[in-house]
Amino acid sequence: MNVNVSANVLTACRPWSRVDIAAHAARDIPEGYYVNLGIGIPVLVADHIPADREVIIHSENGVLGMGPAPAPDKINRWLINAGKQYVTLVPGGCYMHHADSFAVIRGGHLDLCVLGAFQVAENGDLANWATSASDSTPAVGGAMDLAAGAKAIWVLMEHTTKSGESRLKHRCTYPLTAPGVVKRVYTNLAVLDVTDDGFVVREMAPGLTLEALQDVTEARLRIAN
Amino acid sequence: MNVNVSANVLTACRPWSRVDIAAHAARDIPEGYYVNLGIGIPVLVADHIPADREVIIHSENGVLGMGPAPAPDKINRWLINAGKQYVTLVPGGCYMHHADSFAVIRGGHLDLCVLGAFQVAENGDLANWATSASDSTPAVGGAMDLAAGAKAIWVLMEHTTKSGESRLKHRCTYPLTAPGVVKRVYTNLAVLDVTDDGFVVREMAPGLTLEALQDVTEARLRIAN
Amino acid sequence: MINKIVKTAAEAMAGIRDGSVVLLGGFGSIGLPYALVDGLLEQGAKDLTVVANNAGIGRIGLARLFDANRVRKIICSYPRTADPIAFLEAYRAGRVELEVMPQGTMAERMRAAGAGIPAFYTPTSVGTKLAEGKEEREFGGRKYVLEEALYGDVALVEAWEADRWGNLTYRSSARNFNPVMAMAAKLTVAQAQHIVELGALDPEQVPTPGIFVDRVLHVPYGEPTVT
Amino acid sequence: MINKIVKTAAEAMAGIRDGSVVLLGGFGSIGLPYALVDGLLEQGAKDLTVVANNAGIGRIGLARLFDANRVRKIICSYPRTADPIAFLEAYRAGRVELEVMPQGTMAERMRAAGAGIPAFYTPTSVGTKLAEGKEEREFGGRKYVLEEALYGDVALVEAWEADRWGNLTYRSSARNFNPVMAMAAKLTVAQAQHIVELGALDPEQVPTPGIFVDRVLHVPYGEPTVT
């Protein structure tokens, strides 16, 4: 499941897997957080939160306290997540309608939303809903509400596109989901904070150097003090 | 319980009681109506709806399907109406919070709101919350929401003040609750519609003539065709 | 006696006019009133504007309305599903117009319609192309866009239980858009898996009070099979 | 383990600052968290702005805060109750400022605060003196006034049941303002008649999910005795 990065970097390091990326984010979520997990790598985060740490997961289709996928013989066919997969409800969870669910989101009650993205810019701009301004059937879903509403936005994504283009940009070239909202990015190559001075590298994949990472990154990188 | 009206009218007719006024309004409420009943004479309406006619009563403190006062040994001390009296819930009734309750009101879902008033003007203006513009502790409650929100507003009140002043005005002199909303008025002397041409008398207390009624009424009256 | 329960889909759909704005409950297939959509197809109203989170799946439900060329415009947050084939065919052939809006904005615009709020400000979409042409305003130093209430002529919703007053409950995440849509339309029609006696529902637990509901059709179809 | 249940009123009130905007649940005495109000008196915060439907009864609850001169301003829809003596004394002595607003506007302004809506338009109060100075605007040929969200620093609410995640249920009309106030404040403290195990509440019936609640105090006081 490792992703496509330019050859020099691949030979220099062991990139993290999608599961590793999710596990890194899971490790950093404090107990008691209310968290929404987007479609893609983010939904994997739930499986990596330590069993002794209570984190409450929200799904924008009106589920607060979402649990893991059910056993095949225990499916509640009225209970799905935002990705339209069958899920479960944990004890203490509850249901709400869409206006209430988005009041939770827009009202700033989620401590964190973990999203996938096409691009993140060094000013925190997020592009995760459309890959061109002329997309004829764009599908925004709840992405803009989550990006504008949650107290913090983390992005989990592969560091580059399949063709090797950096997803960490000086400025996003794809249509924005929200400006200036991303606080942290977890990729297959690094964990980075978005600061007033742009991306700051907190952690790199084993064997990777800042120079090699910069080589495959359009945005300018700095190392954490 | 008859009210104070000028002497010539009193000798000429038998004014209706507060209970009569409430009964008149009750008689005119169609089956299936969702109705809010204000404090004062309006709350008496509930007791006069025919037993075979289902009318659903709303109380703005979050009760839809309000029933009559409970027997003294059957009081639910968490269940009051907007006048802070103990009430009951009928089968099919339910509770809601204040924002939802006023969504019912403001959203135009009530077929009818029956209110008390200080004054009603011939253009439908309603004054039922303050008796002077300089009232130092005005108390509006839900009156403005109800007046602006319900599909129809009926007013139940005595025709004149204790000192004999008409409550049916050319223009209200008290602060408005809402402009142009009253559709019908039930008093101890008459039942009147508010039309584009002002008040139209539909019914008068026994023994009363239009001339005698006009004598105690500031607004100009017309008789229904 | 108030009795909002109707016997047939034809009764449930009576009077729906060409050109109506139809609010259609559900998220994916869950909470989507398939029997009412089939009834609407049968009934024949056309030039519809449909408001729904998704734009239909395969050849069932909403997809049938696209195939029958009944939908002039769809307003949704996420037109793409696992299999949006009927929508895509209609869209590519220019037979249907698409308006995409953020999911929370869609929900709140209908809640506003039901609550008598003609317009409100929201932070969602500020600084994006979905805010283009929208009125922008600052409150407390942050930018917001103005969104107007989204009213329906008809709402088609799916419920778990219903009584003859139209009180509705839902099951799990099948609640989704149904309660806000029920508030927002002039005519609200529900299909319910179970019809219960008046008084059988817990009064503390009625997400949609009957005041928002005009007609109820009993459709005990069992478990949803697609998501 | 998340545990929002606190042991004492002092813990429940910890950190409330002078000058706070305090949203106080209840309609009359029903659903009013008397134990928390007493705790707030004990805690000592002053210069408070209190948002509540009524302005206190006799010499209990909110009335005690007036008597102790802790309230700088009260925002309510109906200051008059059967016995608003403490409020009237403070008001006539010029010790407290009064702002009256329509009940539904008050509820909706707090719901807006909780829902991330900074402002909305409403028909309520148009053409009255309560609309004076307010921005007016037409939508669809009808006039509306602009109302801004009403945020609380603290909400004090009363619940029937609560669990350690702060999920709350209410009883009958004691629900009233409590759910919207719980959404609208930075710090929400609930007093609950019953503490239940996590998972004991029906997930279809949680009017206030724990995400809106920070602290819960168990106050099994029994039946309210005044309305």
Side-chain angles (χ1 to χ4, degrees):
Chain A
M1 291 293 286
N2 284 345
V3 292
N4 202 333
V5 292
S6 66
N8 63 327
V9 176
L10 265 179
T11 53
C13 80
R14 298 191 306 282
W16 288 314
S17 68
R18 287 162 60 94
V19 167
D20 291 335
I21 296 171
H24 290 161
R27 173 194 66 187
D28 294 344
I29 300 176
E31 172 143 287
Y33 258 40
Y34 290 89
V35 181
N36 184 294
L37 302 175
I39 299 170
I41 308 179
V43 294
L44 304 176
V45 169
D47 299 332
H48 296 278
I49 293 166
D52 63 346
R53 195 189 297 169
E54 282 190 332
V55 168
I56 300 173
I57 300 175
H58 173 262
S59 185
E60 56 265 40
N61 58 320
V63 185
L64 184 62
M66 193 167 66
D73 60 334
K74 299 279 189 194
I75 293 173
N76 169 353
R77 292 189 182 274
W78 290 266
L79 179 45
I80 59 171
N81 65 11
K84 303 187 177 75
Q85 301 160 308
Y86 293 117
V87 293
T88 50
L89 191 76
V90 299
C94 68
Y95 304 112
M96 56 186 86
H97 64 53
H98 247 82
D100 281 349
S101 183
F102 280 83
V104 163
I105 293 170
R106 200 189 308 99
H109 304 285
L110 292 174
D111 296 296
L112 173 65
C113 180
V114 184
L115 291 168
F118 300 129
Q119 299 178 332
V120 175
E122 61 195 15
N123 61 358
D125 285 2
L126 171 67
N128 80 340
W129 74 288
T131 52
S132 83
S134 60
D135 185 347
S136 66
T137 57
V140 68
M144 286 187 183
D145 306 280
L146 287 161
K151 282 180 199 151
I153 302 290
W154 293 356
V155 164
L156 273 52
M157 64 180 184
E158 288 157 10
H159 204 90
T160 61
T161 65
K162 284 188 180 137
S163 60
E165 197 189 333
S166 173
R167 294 183 186 275
L168 279 72
K169 311 290 282 185
H170 171 58
R171 287 293 177 267
C172 291
T173 57
Y174 290 167
L176 292 192
T177 308
V181 296
V182 179
K183 294 280 175 281
R184 190 176 291 171
V185 181
Y186 296 81
T187 79
N188 54 319
L189 298 182
V191 178
L192 311 98
D193 281 337
V194 180
T195 73
D196 290 345
D197 295 323
F199 288 112
V200 171
V201 180
R202 291 162 48 97
E203 204 175 339
M204 285 183 285
L208 195 60
T209 62
L210 184 62
E211 291 68 27
L213 184 64
Q214 183 68 76
D215 269 0
V216 292
T217 307
E218 177 192 307
R220 217 180 126 258
L221 303 178
R222 296 192 306 120
I223 207 86
N225 295 329
Chain B
M1 292 293 286
N2 285 345
V3 294
N4 202 334
V5 293
S6 66
N8 64 327
V9 176
L10 264 180
T11 55
C13 82
R14 297 191 307 282
W16 289 313
S17 67
R18 289 162 59 92
V19 167
D20 292 336
I21 298 172
H24 290 161
R27 172 194 67 189
D28 295 344
I29 300 176
E31 172 144 286
Y33 258 41
Y34 290 89
V35 181
N36 185 294
L37 303 175
I39 298 169
I41 308 179
V43 293
L44 303 175
V45 168
D47 299 332
H48 297 279
I49 293 166
D52 63 347
R53 195 189 298 169
E54 281 190 332
V55 168
I56 298 173
I57 301 175
H58 173 261
S59 185
E60 57 264 40
N61 58 320
V63 185
L64 184 62
M66 192 166 66
D73 60 333
K74 299 277 189 195
I75 293 172
N76 169 352
R77 293 190 182 273
W78 289 266
L79 179 45
I80 59 171
N81 65 11
K84 303 187 177 74
Q85 301 160 308
Y86 293 118
V87 292
T88 50
L89 191 76
V90 300
C94 68
Y95 304 111
M96 56 186 83
H97 64 55
H98 247 82
D100 281 350
S101 183
F102 279 83
V104 163
I105 294 170
R106 200 190 306 101
H109 304 285
L110 293 174
D111 296 296
L112 175 64
C113 180
V114 184
L115 290 168
F118 299 130
Q119 299 177 333
V120 176
E122 62 196 18
N123 61 0
D125 286 1
L126 171 66
N128 80 341
W129 73 289
T131 52
S132 84
S134 60
D135 186 346
S136 66
T137 57
V140 70
M144 287 187 183
D145 305 282
L146 286 161
K151 282 181 199 151
I153 302 291
W154 293 355
V155 163
L156 274 51
M157 65 179 183
E158 288 158 8
H159 204 90
T160 61
T161 65
K162 283 186 182 140
S163 60
E165 197 189 333
S166 171
R167 294 184 186 274
L168 280 72
K169 311 291 282 182
H170 171 59
R171 287 292 178 267
C172 291
T173 58
Y174 291 167
L176 293 192
T177 308
V181 296
V182 178
K183 295 278 174 284
R184 189 176 292 172
V185 180
Y186 296 81
T187 79
N188 54 318
L189 298 181
V191 178
L192 310 98
D193 281 336
V194 181
T195 73
D196 290 346
D197 296 322
F199 288 110
V200 172
V201 179
R202 292 164 48 98
E203 203 174 340
M204 285 182 285
L208 197 60
T209 63
L210 183 63
E211 292 68 26
L213 185 65
Q214 183 69 76
D215 269 359
V216 293
T217 307
E218 178 193 305
R220 216 180 126 258
L221 303 177
R222 298 189 308 117
I223 209 84
N225 295 329
Chain C
M1 196 179 87
I2 301 167
N3 187 7
K4 299 181 180 176
I5 298 165
V6 296
K7 295 228 158 45
T8 63
E11 254 184 282
M13 295 297 110
I16 297 177
R17 292 195 202 155
D18 293 352
S20 292
V21 175
V22 179
L23 314 180
L24 178 60
F27 185 85
S29 271
I30 305 305
L32 195 148
Y34 278 100
L36 298 182
V37 176
D38 290 348
L40 184 58
L41 186 77
E42 193 70 26
Q43 192 262 358
K46 59 181 193 295
D47 291 327
L48 302 174
T49 294
V50 174
V51 181
N53 191 61
N54 305 104
I57 297 170
R59 298 289 177 189
I60 60 174
L62 178 52
R64 297 185 69 198
L65 292 175
F66 289 122
D67 284 341
N69 201 22
R70 298 288 177 70
V71 183
R72 186 171 52 78
K73 179 178 181 179
I74 174 134
I75 299 176
C76 64
S77 88
Y78 208 84
R80 294 192 212 120
T81 54
D83 182 15
I85 179 69
F87 160 71
L88 286 177
E89 285 174 6
Y91 185 65
R92 285 171 185 154
R95 290 189 283 116
V96 64
E97 187 187 339
L98 169 67
E99 181 180 348
V100 167
M101 75 180 60
Q103 199 170 132
T105 298
M106 199 171 111
E108 188 67 12
R109 287 182 62 192
M110 290 188 280
R111 192 263 172 194
I117 304 295
F120 60 91
Y121 291 92
T122 174
T124 300
S125 87
V126 167
T128 77
K129 72 172 190 165
L130 293 189
E132 281 168 19
K134 292 201 169 158
E135 186 177 317
E136 214 175 81
R137 182 160 171 173
E138 275 193 27
F139 294 92
R142 189 176 177 188
K143 285 181 184 166
Y144 298 87
V145 292
L146 183 71
E147 294 282 356
E148 294 197 15
L150 178 55
Y151 301 91
D153 295 303
V154 184
L156 306 183
V157 304
E158 196 208 17
W160 180 242
E161 298 163 302
D163 63 25
R164 66 177 173 83
W165 280 8
N167 291 306
L168 306 180
T169 67
Y170 304 95
R171 182 158 177 175
S172 308
S173 74
R175 184 177 302 208
N176 57 62
F177 280 97
N178 288 301
V180 285
M181 288 178 168
M183 295 171 70
K186 287 186 207 115
L187 173 72
T188 293
V189 186
Q191 72 171 67
Q193 291 260 9
H194 303 283
I195 303 292
V196 300
E197 285 301 304
L198 198 69
L201 300 178
D202 180 348
E204 301 284 359
Q205 182 182 0
V206 183
T208 296
I211 193 167
F212 298 132
V213 178
D214 300 286
R215 300 172 190 165
V216 174
L217 182 67
H218 186 202
V219 183
Y221 70 86
E223 298 205 336
T225 51
V226 289
T227 58
Chain D
M1 196 180 86
I2 299 168
N3 188 6
K4 298 182 180 176
I5 298 166
V6 297
K7 294 228 157 45
T8 65
E11 256 184 283
M13 295 297 111
I16 297 176
R17 293 195 200 153
D18 294 352
S20 290
V21 175
V22 178
L23 314 180
L24 179 60
F27 185 83
S29 271
I30 306 305
L32 195 148
Y34 278 100
L36 298 182
V37 176
D38 290 348
L40 183 57
L41 186 77
E42 194 70 28
Q43 192 261 0
K46 58 180 194 296
D47 291 327
L48 302 173
T49 294
V50 174
V51 181
N53 190 61
N54 305 103
I57 298 169
R59 298 290 177 188
I60 59 173
L62 178 51
R64 298 185 70 198
L65 291 176
F66 289 122
D67 284 341
N69 201 23
R70 297 287 176 71
V71 182
R72 187 171 51 79
K73 180 176 181 181
I74 173 136
I75 299 176
C76 64
S77 89
Y78 208 83
R80 292 191 214 121
T81 54
D83 182 13
I85 179 70
F87 160 70
L88 287 177
E89 286 174 6
Y91 184 65
R92 287 171 185 153
R95 289 190 281 117
V96 64
E97 187 187 338
L98 170 67
E99 182 179 347
V100 167
M101 75 180 60
Q103 199 170 130
T105 298
M106 200 170 109
E108 188 68 11
R109 288 182 61 194
M110 290 187 281
R111 191 263 175 195
I117 303 296
F120 60 91
Y121 291 91
T122 174
T124 302
S125 89
V126 168
T128 77
K129 72 170 189 164
L130 293 189
E132 282 168 17
K134 292 197 169 160
E135 187 176 317
E136 216 176 80
R137 182 161 172 172
E138 275 193 29
F139 294 92
R142 188 175 178 189
K143 284 180 184 167
Y144 298 87
V145 291
L146 182 70
E147 295 282 356
E148 295 197 15
L150 179 54
Y151 301 91
D153 294 302
V154 184
L156 306 182
V157 304
E158 197 208 18
W160 180 242
E161 298 163 303
D163 64 25
R164 66 177 172 83
W165 280 9
N167 290 306
L168 306 180
T169 68
Y170 304 95
R171 181 157 177 176
S172 309
S173 75
R175 186 177 301 207
N176 59 60
F177 280 98
N178 287 301
V180 284
M181 288 178 168
M183 293 171 74
K186 288 186 207 116
L187 174 73
T188 292
V189 186
Q191 73 170 66
Q193 291 259 9
H194 303 284
I195 302 292
V196 302
E197 286 299 306
L198 197 70
L201 299 178
D202 181 348
E204 300 284 359
Q205 180 183 3
V206 182
T208 295
I211 193 167
F212 298 132
V213 178
D214 300 286
R215 298 172 190 167
V216 175
L217 182 67
H218 186 203
V219 184
Y221 70 87
E223 297 205 337
T225 50
V226 292
T227 58

